[in-house]
């Protein structure tokens, strides 16, 4: 059974496995923390971008629904304020539908 070779991994990462000076030891610790962190960030980037896009899409859908609701409320209020115009529109739509039915026959 081959064991895990930590020195070989450090060499592949570009880290000196046996630093001599205190500054080099601190640099080794910084590299051991930042290199895996960088790899983790790169690996998670597509998932984060997809999540951001999904949130934007859901927010746009929510805003569209809100705008639709407001428009419907304005239409209802207009119909209440001006019933004669609403009646004319209903008659006009009925005449359009009856004329389209006559054209189909």
């Amino acid at each position: 059974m081959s064991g895990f070779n930590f020195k070989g991994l450090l060499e592949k990462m570009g880290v000196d496995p046996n630093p001599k000076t205190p500054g080099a030891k601190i640099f080794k610790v910084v590299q051991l923390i930042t290199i895996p962190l960088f790899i983790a960030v790169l690996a998670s980037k597509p998932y984060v971008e997809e999540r951001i896009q999904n949130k934007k899409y859901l927010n746009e859908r929510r805003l569209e629904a809100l705008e639709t609701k407001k428009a419907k409320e304005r239409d209802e209020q207009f119909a209440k304020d001006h019933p004669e115009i609403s009646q004319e529109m209903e008659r006009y739509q009925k005449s359009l539908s009856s004329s389209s039915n006559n054209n189909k026959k």
Side-chain angles (χ1 to χ4, degrees):
M1 179 174 118
S2 71
F4 179 71
N5 187 356
F6 191 68
K7 284 187 177 187
L9 178 64
L10 291 176
E11 288 174 4
K12 288 179 182 178
M13 289 173 46
V15 178
D16 183 18
N18 295 318
K20 307 284 188 268
T21 64
K25 290 180 182 180
I26 292 172
F27 186 65
K28 176 183 175 184
V29 170
V30 169
Q31 283 182 320
L32 290 175
I33 293 170
T34 57
I35 291 173
L37 183 63
F38 179 72
I39 293 170
V41 168
L42 284 180
S44 65
K45 186 176 179 181
Y47 301 111
V48 172
E49 287 177 350
E50 181 180 344
R51 187 170 177 208
I52 290 170
Q53 284 296 110
N54 193 25
K55 281 186 177 182
K56 285 181 182 178
Y57 174 73
L58 292 176
N59 191 31
E60 288 175 3
R61 296 269 316 242
R62 184 184 59 82
L63 290 175
E64 287 175 2
L66 186 62
E67 289 174 5
T68 304
K69 182 181 174 187
K70 286 181 181 180
K72 194 177 283 187
E73 289 173 357
R74 283 193 303 264
D75 287 346
E76 291 172 358
Q77 186 61 39
F78 184 80
K80 286 179 185 176
D81 293 344
H82 307 285
E84 65 280 354
I85 295 175
S86 299
Q87 291 170 354
E88 281 296 320
M89 288 299 293
E90 287 175 11
R91 276 189 245 140
Y92 178 69
Q93 287 175 350
K94 286 180 184 177
S95 68
L96 284 178
S97 65
S98 66
S99 68
S100 68
N101 287 338
N102 289 337
N103 290 337
K104 288 181 182 179
K105 291 180 180 180

